[in-house]
Amino acid sequence: VVDQIRLWQIEGERMKSTVGFLFKDFLSAAEYEGLCQYAGDIGVLKWKNDAKRMFFVTRHEQVAAYLKSQKEKRREGG
Amino acid sequence: MPKAVKGVLVECDPSIKAIILKIDHDKHDYIVEDLDDQHLVIKESQLPRLKERLEEVLADTQQMPDESGSD
């Protein structure tokens, strides 16, 4: 049992897990950058990779709403 | 249209990540996306099982030097 606790502690130090959402498959750099920037601004961004156009957020509701509003704005603009 | 995939972001050092990749290799049942040297996304439902498997592997690798070193 002591061994198990010790191992658990080692593992706990070495491995950190965060529940959330991975955003991927962006068609344009502009769309990725805009959304990633927004996620950072509202403090939900945990990880990002510009080359892969992927980022991980702790909450997705606001990010998804922002994405939708951007799309609508674009549509209205023509 | 970008996609949002639910999962667990795992941050660990490359040696632990290598073990996770090896565990996943059997059935490809844990990893959603391999991100970089120290990050990957796994299925939320599989997190407890992955931790168990990781513990087993760590226990195996740590018993060997202990056994040879103690006597």
Side-chain angles (χ1 to χ4, degrees):
Chain A
V1 180
V2 175
D3 267 355
Q4 269 181 345
I5 292 167
R6 192 169 57 90
L7 286 170
W8 187 257
Q9 283 172 337
I10 290 166
E11 184 241 322
E13 283 164 22
R14 287 190 188 169
M15 179 176 151
K16 202 177 149 208
S17 53
T18 311
V19 178
F21 292 82
L22 178 73
F23 278 77
K24 60 176 193 176
D25 298 349
F26 286 92
L27 291 176
S28 75
E31 190 175 43
Y32 162 79
E33 277 159 20
L35 205 60
C36 192
Q37 172 84 46
Y38 177 74
D41 288 347
I42 62 170
V44 299
L45 188 66
K46 277 295 285 183
W47 174 93
K48 74 180 175 91
N49 184 313
D50 294 345
K52 289 186 175 177
R53 285 184 195 163
M54 286 185 192
F55 63 86
F56 191 92
V57 294
T58 51
R59 298 182 63 85
H60 77 292
E61 296 91 343
Q62 269 176 280
V63 178
Y66 180 79
L67 180 69
K68 207 179 151 200
S69 74
Q70 289 298 99
K71 279 206 188 306
E72 274 162 17
K73 204 185 286 177
R74 230 170 301 157
R75 208 172 306 148
E76 280 164 22
Chain B
M1 180 71 179
K3 227 162 59 178
V5 189
K6 196 170 199 284
V8 179
L9 178 73
V10 172
E11 298 169 69
C12 55
D13 55 54
S15 60
I16 298 287
K17 203 201 129 185
I19 298 172
I20 296 174
L21 288 182
K22 214 174 150 193
I23 292 171
D24 182 72
H25 188 73
D26 300 338
K27 283 187 178 175
H28 298 286
D29 210 17
Y30 297 90
I31 297 174
V32 174
E33 195 84 45
D34 187 353
L35 300 177
D36 60 31
D37 276 0
Q38 299 183 35
H39 295 88
L40 39 86
V41 176
I42 63 155
K43 292 174 189 169
E44 192 180 3
S45 59
Q46 294 283 48
L47 181 63
R49 236 186 97 65
L50 180 65
K51 282 188 171 179
E52 273 173 34
R53 293 286 302 273
L54 193 59
E55 239 179 88
E56 283 168 18
V57 175
L58 286 173
D60 284 348
T61 53
Q62 294 199 349
Q63 261 165 26
M64 282 185 282
D66 274 355
E67 276 167 15
S68 59
S70 57
D71 281 310

